[in-house]
Amino acid sequence: MTGDLQFSWELSGSGWATCRIADGASEQKDIVSYCTDALADLLHHVAGLYGPTSVQRVSFDLEPAESRWVLRVRDPDVSIAIYLFPDMSTSYDRPDSEGRLVWRTKQPRALLSHAVVEAAQDVFRIHGEDGYRAKWVQHPFPVAALQDLRRLHMRDDSCELPHEVASP
């Protein structure tokens, strides 16, 4: 598998996480709020790429802005477009075209899934369930969502990268 995709999710304070995605050309970084179950939402929507729906949308609350990821399956790749809206309270049901496109890339689904699984496992390894809940406050660590995405990725992708399956 080729590609320069990098993804990280770091808890950066009580109720805040730094989400960073980058390819070989550019990056997008957002400070995400705990007002939504953001990491669980991302895991669920990336897992959705393995189902019959060709488009997945996940929104992150940046208080007050919205960062909306639009994931489109184009086998074996996924196009990722990130749109920024100034106010999540008014933009949630608005069409993607009303947002400002701030980042885009096309990557193999296997690489995206692997990067998201690895980042979530890193969060779990660093904080554990109790530490995650203490920092993220509103939501527990999304163990089931991580396990589901990992299972789908390992079942359906020909990923040659190493996989840690010990946690969680």
Side-chain angles (χ1 to χ4, degrees), residues 14-160:
S14 183
W16 296 99
T18 301
C19 172
R20 180 186 170 273
I21 189 165
D23 60 14
S26 62
E27 76 171 13
Q28 175 65 24
K29 184 164 57 170
D30 290 313
I31 308 299
V32 178
S33 165
Y34 71 148
C35 289
T36 64
D37 197 359
L39 182 56
D41 293 344
L42 179 63
L43 291 165
H44 287 300
H45 287 283
V46 174
L49 298 172
Y50 293 86
T53 306
S54 63
V55 178
Q56 297 286 322
R57 285 177 174 78
V58 60
S59 292
F60 300 127
D61 190 342
L62 309 182
E63 290 192 43
E66 173 191 0
S67 177
R68 182 183 303 166
W69 291 30
V70 179
L71 311 170
R72 287 187 183 349
V73 176
R74 296 193 169 111
D75 287 334
D77 295 327
V78 174
S79 70
I80 305 164
I82 301 175
Y83 297 90
L84 191 61
F85 295 83
D87 186 350
M88 186 155 182
S89 68
T90 62
S91 65
Y92 194 74
D93 291 326
R94 300 236 185 242
D96 303 331
S97 61
E98 290 187 19
R100 181 171 52 93
L101 179 65
V102 293
W103 194 81
R104 92 169 3 167
T105 191
K106 186 168 96 172
Q107 299 290 330
R109 180 189 67 189
L111 187 59
L112 172 63
S113 296
H114 188 90
V116 171
V117 164
E118 288 292 313
Q121 286 181 174
D122 285 348
V123 171
F124 184 83
R125 197 172 13 262
I126 292 166
H127 302 283
E129 286 186 73
D130 292 339
Y132 181 89
R133 183 61 180 252
K135 283 187 99 57
W136 198 240
V137 184
Q138 297 286 344
H139 307 280
F141 185 83
V143 173
L146 173 55
Q147 290 172 339
D148 188 46
L149 177 55
R150 183 190 310 116
R151 177 185 59 77
L152 291 167
H153 169 61
M154 292 180 73
R155 182 191 75 191
D156 293 354
D157 295 329
S158 299
C159 182
E160 298 172 4

